[in-house]
Each structure stands twice: as C-alpha cells, then as structure tokens.
Amino acid sequence: NDEEFLFNIVAKTNIESEYIQKEGALELYRFVSKIDEPYKEIFLLRTLSELSFKEISDIFNKTESWARVTYHRARIKIQEIMRKEGYHE
C-alpha cells in the first residue's frame, strides 16, 4: 500500500542520512586529531559538547575572547589540513 511504501522510503532515507553523518563525523575526527592542544580540545568542546565560549573560558580560566580566537584558529588549522590532503566536499 502507498502508506507502507512511503514509510519505507523515509526509513531508508534516515538510515542513509545517519550513515553519511557518521562517515562525515569520522572524517572530521581524523582531521581534528592532527591539530595540537589546546586547539583540539577547544574545537571539540565547542562542536561536540556545544559549550558556549563563556563556558570554555571558565574551564581554561581564560577570557571569553581567548576561547573565541582559539576556536577560530582551530577551524583554520583543520581547514588547512583538509586542503593539504585534497579533501573537497
């Protein structure tokens, strides 16, 4: 029936979407693992733990501006590694 057909399409799409997201996350972790501390930790706290810059600054006993700058530098470092490795997506 049509309802079952649509359900199967949605279920399949969700599985494929989850797989793509997981593969993307694994690839990102591979790049993140290549940067030094504290950039790695700041990037992961911001992206995975979804901490605010204020919360990150409190953890490191630094200013919020330091947390923001360190996070953006981490992003730049990751992007540079991705480019060097020919990652285009």
Side-chain angles (χ1 to χ4, degrees):
N1 86 34
D2 288 343
E3 191 173 292
E4 185 177 340
F5 174 75
L6 290 175
F7 177 81
N8 287 334
I9 289 175
V10 170
K12 182 179 178 185
T13 302
N14 288 340
I15 290 169
E16 288 173 354
S17 176
E18 287 176 24
Y19 175 78
I20 290 167
Q21 287 176 353
K22 183 177 179 181
E23 287 298 307
L26 291 174
E27 191 73 6
L28 178 60
Y29 293 137
R30 188 172 70 78
F31 294 122
V32 171
S33 73
K34 296 179 181 188
I35 64 174
D36 295 327
E37 295 295 351
Y39 302 105
K40 183 188 308 184
E41 189 170 3
I42 301 299
F43 184 83
L44 293 174
L45 287 172
R46 180 73 176 154
T47 56
L48 291 181
S49 300
E50 298 180 352
L51 295 183
S52 69
F53 290 116
K54 173 72 173 119
E55 292 166 322
I56 293 169
S57 70
D58 289 345
I59 290 170
F60 285 88
N61 199 26
K62 303 276 189 177
T63 65
E64 194 172 334
S65 178
W66 174 88
R68 220 177 272 282
V69 168
T70 304
Y71 170 74
H72 289 291
R73 287 180 180 163
R75 288 182 57 217
I76 290 167
K77 289 176 183 294
I78 293 166
Q79 290 169 347
E80 287 171 355
I81 292 168
M82 292 172 78
R83 274 194 292 278
K84 285 180 186 173
E85 295 191 15
Y87 186 82
H88 303 287
E89 190 157 318

